[in-house]
Amino acid sequence: MNFNYPNGKRYIPKVSETEFKGKKQSNPSYSNRGMTLEDDLNDTNEYYRERNIAVIHKKPTPVQIVKVDYPKRSAAVIKEAYFKQASTTDYNGVYKGKYIDFEAKETINTTSFPLKNFHQHQIDHMQEVVSHGGICFVILRFSKQEQVYFLQATHLLFFWERMKNGGRKSITKEEIEQNADFIPLGFRPRIDYIKIIDTLFHL
Amino acid sequence: MNFNYPNGKRYIPKVSETEFKGKKQSNPSYSNRGMTLEDDLNDTNEYYRERNIAVIHKKPTPVQIVKVDYPKRSAAVIKEAYFKQASTTDYNGVYKGKYIDFEAKETINTTSFPLKNFHQHQIDHMQEVVSHGGICFVILRFSKQEQVYFLQATHLLFFWERMKNGGRKSITKEEIEQNADFIPLGFRPRIDYIKIIDTLFHL
C-alpha cells in the first residue's frame, strides 16, 4: 500500500527485520540492513537511555483525529484521522541538564541537500530553541553514500535565510563538509551524535 | 459521542468557546469558562513563546496507525488507528537553556490526589529526567476547587514509592499543601509555572 503525506512526500513503509531476512542481499554489510534513519536514531536513543547517558525521545507523529468508534468491551478505534504538519522538530530531550532538540532528514541526492526537506514552522522552532540556549541541530543523511552529518541549527538558519533572500534552494555537499561534523556510523550507538555535542559544546 | 481510552478513562470532548457562550452560566467568572487544564497550559505555553520567555510544547497524542487510505488528489486518510500509552510525560521544552519536563493531571477528588493518574512508564521517565539534571515536575489540579499545584517530580517519586511498598494509593491534600507550590490562576499567563521554577531553582 502506498500513500502520500499531506506534504506530497511518499510514505515508505518500513521493512521489518523478518521480511528483510527473506531477501537475498548482494552486500549484507551492517550499513546495508535496510534500516531507516529513524530506526538508527531510535536505536541510538535507546542505547543512550540504557547506558544512562541521555534521555532523548522521538515525538509521536501529530495526527488530527476526526472520528472515533468505541466498541463495547474493546479499545477505542480511530476511524478517521489526518496527518498534521509538525510545529516542532521530531526529537528532544535532556543531556547533562541541557535541552537537546533536533530534526533528522535524508536525501537521495548526492551533491546537495535540498532545503525543501524542512518547513518554516520547524525553522522558527529551531530559531526559538537557539535563542533560549538549547542545543539545536539537524542530522542530515545522504542515503546513497550512507553518510551522516551533524549540522548546527545556526548554520541551517543561515542557509535557510540565503534561500529566502533568493539564493539557492539547497546546501551544497561542500558547504556541509565545511560546516557540519561527519558522524561515522557505528554498531552501538549507531549514530553517536552525543560525542559531537561533547566536542562542540565542551560538555 | 463518548469513548474511552485504552486505559479505561473516559474521553471528555472539549466544549468550544462558541458552544459555551450559548449556555446560561450561573457564575460566569473567569475561572469557570469551561476550559480544561490542557487548554490552560496550552495558553500558558503560547504566552511564554510569544513573550520569548520559554519554548514548551505539548507532545502529540501517541497513536498506533494501522490502516491508511490514499485517495487520488487528496490527503492521506487514516482509517484505522489506536491510542497508545505515552512512554514519556506530555510537556517538555527549554527555559534558560535548561530542560523542562512535566505532566499535568486533574482530579475531581477534593481531599487527595489518586496516584492511578500516573503510570509506571511516566514515573520511570521522570526518574530518568531528574537523574540527568532536567527540571521535572507535575501540575496537579483539583478541578472542583479550581486549585492548581506544582509538585516536583522528586516528591511524586517518593509518594509513588510509598504506594509500591504497600502504602496509600494517593497523596493527601495536606501532603500536597506541604510539599507542593500553589499556583494562583491568572489571566495571562493562566498557570504561571515558570515563576515557580524561578523560585525553586534560582534561575
Side-chain angles (χ1 to χ4, degrees):
Chain A
M1 175 186 57
N2 284 327
F3 66 91
N4 287 20
Y5 282 111
N7 62 6
K9 272 168 59 184
R10 182 158 286 272
Y11 172 80
I12 314 283
K14 280 186 232 170
V15 178
S16 75
E17 290 285 354
T18 338
E19 285 177 84
F20 179 82
K21 278 171 190 158
K23 287 183 193 162
K24 206 182 161 205
Q25 289 292 316
S26 52
N27 174 15
S29 73
Y30 181 79
S31 63
N32 199 6
R33 294 185 313 170
M35 284 179 72
T36 64
L37 180 57
E38 184 180 324
D39 289 332
D40 280 346
L41 286 167
N42 288 344
D43 270 16
T44 301
N45 292 337
E46 200 184 310
Y47 173 89
Y48 289 152
R49 283 203 304 281
E50 279 170 4
R51 302 292 171 110
N52 219 25
I53 293 166
V55 184
I56 321 265
H57 286 270
K58 182 177 186 293
K59 291 188 181 182
T61 305
V63 156
Q64 180 69 48
I65 298 166
V66 176
K67 194 175 155 220
V68 185
D69 274 10
Y70 183 67
K72 269 182 188 160
R73 274 179 286 276
S74 59
V77 189
I78 299 164
K79 298 296 256 184
E80 186 185 352
Y82 298 89
F83 293 103
K84 274 198 299 187
Q85 199 174 58
S87 52
T88 66
T89 47
D90 271 359
Y91 300 85
N92 73 357
V94 58
Y95 174 56
K96 294 186 179 171
K98 299 277 186 197
Y99 178 71
I100 306 295
D101 189 299
F102 67 95
E103 184 63 37
K105 296 287 186 192
E106 50 194 326
T107 183
I108 54 162
N109 285 18
T110 54
T111 55
S112 70
F113 204 96
L115 287 164
K116 69 167 190 281
N117 278 293
F118 301 95
H119 55 81
Q120 191 63 51
H121 273 124
Q122 291 180 317
I123 297 289
D124 293 344
H125 174 74
M126 290 187 220
Q127 179 77 72
E128 286 175 19
V129 169
V130 167
S131 81
H132 285 279
I135 292 174
C136 191
F137 55 94
V138 288
I139 288 181
L140 305 179
R141 180 171 180 257
F142 288 93
S143 51
K144 284 196 176 154
Q145 296 128 307
E146 290 272 358
Q147 291 173 339
V148 178
Y149 290 89
F150 178 118
L151 183 70
Q152 288 194 60
T154 45
H155 291 297
L156 179 68
L157 294 167
F158 169 84
F159 294 120
W160 186 267
E161 208 48 43
R162 181 175 72 180
M163 176 182 73
K164 302 277 276 188
N165 293 327
R168 54 178 302 138
K169 292 181 172 61
S170 65
I171 315 173
T172 68
K173 186 79 188 286
E174 200 183 350
E175 286 168 338
I176 288 172
E177 283 161 359
Q178 280 164 4
N179 294 287
D181 286 83
F182 179 75
I183 311 182
L185 294 182
F187 176 57
R188 290 207 88 192
R190 183 88 173 118
I191 298 173
D192 195 3
Y193 61 85
I194 288 280
K195 195 185 257 178
I196 312 282
I197 293 177
D198 275 334
T199 313
L200 289 174
F201 299 91
H202 311 289
L203 294 185
Chain B
M1 175 186 55
N2 284 328
F3 66 91
N4 287 20
Y5 283 108
N7 61 8
K9 271 170 61 185
R10 183 158 285 272
Y11 172 79
I12 314 284
K14 280 186 230 170
V15 178
S16 75
E17 290 284 356
T18 338
E19 286 178 84
F20 179 82
K21 277 172 191 160
K23 287 183 194 165
K24 206 184 162 203
Q25 289 292 318
S26 53
N27 174 14
S29 73
Y30 180 79
S31 64
N32 199 5
R33 295 185 313 171
M35 284 179 74
T36 64
L37 179 58
E38 185 180 325
D39 288 333
D40 280 347
L41 286 168
N42 288 343
D43 270 16
T44 301
N45 291 338
E46 200 184 311
Y47 173 88
Y48 289 151
R49 282 203 305 281
E50 280 169 5
R51 303 293 171 108
N52 218 24
I53 294 166
V55 184
I56 321 267
H57 286 271
K58 183 177 184 295
K59 292 189 181 182
T61 305
V63 156
Q64 180 70 49
I65 298 166
V66 175
K67 194 175 156 224
V68 184
D69 274 9
Y70 183 67
K72 271 183 187 158
R73 275 179 285 278
S74 58
V77 190
I78 299 164
K79 299 296 256 182
E80 187 186 351
Y82 299 89
F83 293 102
K84 274 199 298 188
Q85 201 175 57
S87 53
T88 67
T89 48
D90 272 357
Y91 300 85
N92 73 357
V94 58
Y95 174 56
K96 294 184 179 172
K98 300 275 186 197
Y99 178 71
I100 306 294
D101 189 300
F102 66 95
E103 184 63 38
K105 296 288 186 191
E106 49 194 326
T107 183
I108 54 163
N109 285 17
T110 53
T111 55
S112 70
F113 204 96
L115 287 164
K116 69 165 191 281
N117 278 293
F118 300 94
H119 56 80
Q120 191 63 50
H121 272 124
Q122 290 181 318
I123 297 289
D124 293 344
H125 174 73
M126 291 187 219
Q127 180 77 71
E128 286 176 18
V129 169
V130 167
S131 80
H132 286 279
I135 292 174
C136 192
F137 55 94
V138 287
I139 289 182
L140 304 178
R141 179 171 180 257
F142 288 93
S143 51
K144 283 198 175 154
Q145 295 129 309
E146 291 271 357
Q147 291 173 339
V148 178
Y149 289 89
F150 178 117
L151 182 71
Q152 289 194 60
T154 45
H155 291 297
L156 178 68
L157 294 167
F158 170 84
F159 294 119
W160 186 266
E161 208 49 42
R162 181 176 70 182
M163 176 182 72
K164 303 276 277 187
N165 292 327
R168 54 178 303 137
K169 292 181 173 60
S170 65
I171 315 172
T172 67
K173 186 80 187 286
E174 200 181 351
E175 286 168 337
I176 288 173
E177 283 162 358
Q178 280 164 4
N179 294 287
D181 286 84
F182 179 75
I183 311 182
L185 294 182
F187 176 57
R188 289 206 90 192
R190 183 88 172 118
I191 297 174
D192 195 2
Y193 61 86
I194 288 280
K195 194 184 257 178
I196 312 281
I197 292 177
D198 276 333
T199 313
L200 290 174
F201 300 91
H202 309 290
L203 295 183

